[in-house]
Amino acid sequence: MDPDALSKAFVEHYYTTFDTNRTGLANLYQESSMLTFEGQKIQGSQNIVNKLTSLPFQQCKHSITTVDCQPSGPAGGMLVFVSGNLQLAGEQHALKFSQMFHLMPTPQGSFYVYNDIFRLNYA
Amino acid sequence: MDPDALSKAFVEHYYTTFDTNRAGLANLYQETSMLTFEGQKIQGSQNIVNKLTSLPFQQCKHSITTVDCQPSGPAGGMLVFVSGNLQLAGEQHALKFSQMFHLMPTPQGSFYVYNDIFRLNYA
């Protein structure tokens, strides 16, 4: 699959899962996966999903503004760099965020998130 | 060297070089390096430096707000995720930006930029 199409498909799947079934994100990470969320470092699928499901909001919607991708090296990985808006239920203004994913291939021909870094972009 | 210290040192060196000697960035890229600058894809040190030195401003200053890093896999690479402000000479307000670097080790024990993605963060 063309890398740009693959990264867009991943991004759509990731944020739709985040916004509708946050625990479902567990399938996208493995034990070696790393998340840095607003400076806090977390490792492993279970710890990562615990962090994401315990964020202080129930409902949210991500809207993606830009998606850039590049191959990351001989291991077949893909870097995906996203910027967008995060609307929390009940809040008047959306938050702006940037996030980068490093996707690594699985033996079954899919991808999982090996590296994940999330930052809000304050005005 | 501790990864956090290494990424901070790289970021300082990169942006100081950008702000004072933009052509000097050539040493930080190789022929296989990739830059995506506001959606435009460029490959190779010479093409990348040509793009950066031809940007429509002479003087600029990057101020870094956040630096996050994670190891990128068995090849010894390092992912560095930066957010900050970019002040152009003569402009009243600074631009906000996010940038990610994927640093790969050189045989001499240094690092070069393999992947580079830059995006402005519009209000």
Side-chain angles (χ1 to χ4, degrees):
Chain A
M1 198 182 192
D2 155 58
D4 286 305
L6 195 141
S7 58
K8 283 195 171 62
F10 165 78
V11 164
E12 271 184 45
H13 176 64
Y14 183 89
Y15 292 112
T16 299
T17 307
F18 195 116
D19 295 343
T20 60
N21 176 27
R22 228 179 293 174
T23 50
L25 293 171
N27 294 331
L28 299 178
Y29 298 94
Q30 293 188 5
E31 274 321 288
S32 54
S33 298
M34 290 167 271
L35 164 65
T36 306
F37 190 93
E38 281 287 284
Q40 184 187 353
K41 299 184 190 188
I42 300 135
Q43 179 158 354
S45 178
Q46 193 152 336
N47 294 327
I48 289 171
V49 176
N50 285 348
K51 170 66 182 178
L52 297 178
T53 52
S54 69
L55 291 171
F57 51 84
Q58 298 285 49
Q59 250 189 315
C60 67
K61 175 126 179 62
H62 292 79
S63 309
I64 303 313
T65 310
T66 64
V67 181
D68 294 303
C69 72
Q70 292 178 4
S72 70
M78 177 83 57
L79 292 166
V80 183
F81 189 60
V82 180
S83 73
N85 293 291
L86 175 56
Q87 181 68 58
L88 304 184
E91 295 285 328
Q92 192 176 17
H93 299 287
L95 301 169
K96 292 185 177 305
F97 75 92
S98 295
Q99 187 159 15
M100 62 138 281
F101 301 97
H102 184 199
L103 307 182
M104 292 291 256
T106 67
Q108 298 80 19
S110 180
F111 282 85
Y112 75 97
V113 178
Y114 183 56
N115 301 99
D116 180 349
I117 305 180
F118 175 92
R119 278 283 181 187
L120 293 170
N121 297 140
Y122 295 103
Chain B
M1 200 184 191
D2 156 57
D4 286 305
L6 196 141
S7 57
K8 281 195 171 63
F10 164 77
V11 163
E12 271 185 45
H13 176 65
Y14 183 88
Y15 292 112
T16 299
T17 306
F18 195 116
D19 295 344
T20 59
N21 175 25
R22 228 179 293 175
L25 292 171
N27 294 330
L28 298 177
Y29 297 95
Q30 292 190 4
E31 273 322 286
T32 51
S33 299
M34 290 165 271
L35 165 66
T36 305
F37 190 93
E38 281 287 284
Q40 183 187 352
K41 300 185 191 188
I42 300 136
Q43 179 156 353
S45 177
Q46 193 151 336
N47 294 326
I48 289 171
V49 176
N50 284 348
K51 170 65 183 179
L52 297 177
T53 52
S54 68
L55 290 171
F57 50 85
Q58 298 285 49
Q59 248 187 318
C60 68
K61 174 123 180 63
H62 293 79
S63 310
I64 302 315
T65 310
T66 65
V67 181
D68 294 304
C69 73
Q70 291 178 3
S72 69
M78 177 84 57
L79 292 166
V80 183
F81 190 59
V82 179
S83 72
N85 294 291
L86 176 56
Q87 181 68 58
L88 304 184
E91 294 287 326
Q92 192 175 15
H93 299 287
L95 301 169
K96 292 186 176 305
F97 74 92
S98 295
Q99 187 159 14
M100 62 139 280
F101 301 97
H102 184 199
L103 308 181
M104 293 292 255
T106 67
Q108 299 78 22
S110 179
F111 283 86
Y112 74 98
V113 178
Y114 182 56
N115 303 98
D116 180 349
I117 304 179
F118 175 93
R119 278 284 180 186
L120 292 171
N121 298 140
Y122 295 103

